[in-house]
Amino acid sequence: MTGAVTPERTATWGRRILALGVDWITCLAVVEGLVAVGVLAGNPNGLGTLVLFVLESALFTALAGGSFGKLATRLRVVRHDGSEEPVTLLRALVRSTLVGLLVPPLLTFDGRGLHDLAAGTRTVTL
């Protein structure tokens, strides 16, 4: 079956954490830049960064197959069922929201976090 994800292509947790760090630092820089130029009044408790992270991650995943950080670290989010169809915006939003709530590290199954289980996705190496 074409498009099927093999266990060898499943992304490592280290690479996923690197991608998350790239995403977070990028979102933090954008939000702090918006605060510096007066577009936003502040970033209390990092809430602006979190909101931007969830939106950026969901939109990039639905449109390009992964967040900015994932694409920069050569990772991609695909559907777990092996379909070559892109991840829908709804699935991407569920996944990104759960990542923002720190749900992924709670449990893994078959190399996937709870966010991937809930969204029917898997993270693979390009």
Side-chain angles (χ1 to χ4, degrees), residues 16 26 37 62 77:
R16 294 177 204 200
T26 303
V37 297
V77 178

Side-chain angles (χ1 to χ4, degrees), residues 13-68:
W13 281 102
R15 203 149 175 195
R16 294 177 204 200
I17 291 168
L18 177 61
L20 179 64
V22 169
D23 279 326
W24 190 261
I25 290 169
T26 303
C27 289
L28 179 62
V30 168
V31 170
E32 291 303 323
L34 293 172
V35 169
V37 297
V39 174
L40 294 176
N43 189 15
N45 301 318
L47 186 59
T49 304
L50 179 61
V51 169
L52 181 60
F53 168 80
V54 169
L55 294 175
E56 174 269 331
S57 183
L59 287 174
F60 270 61
T61 298
L63 296 174
S67 67
F68 174 76

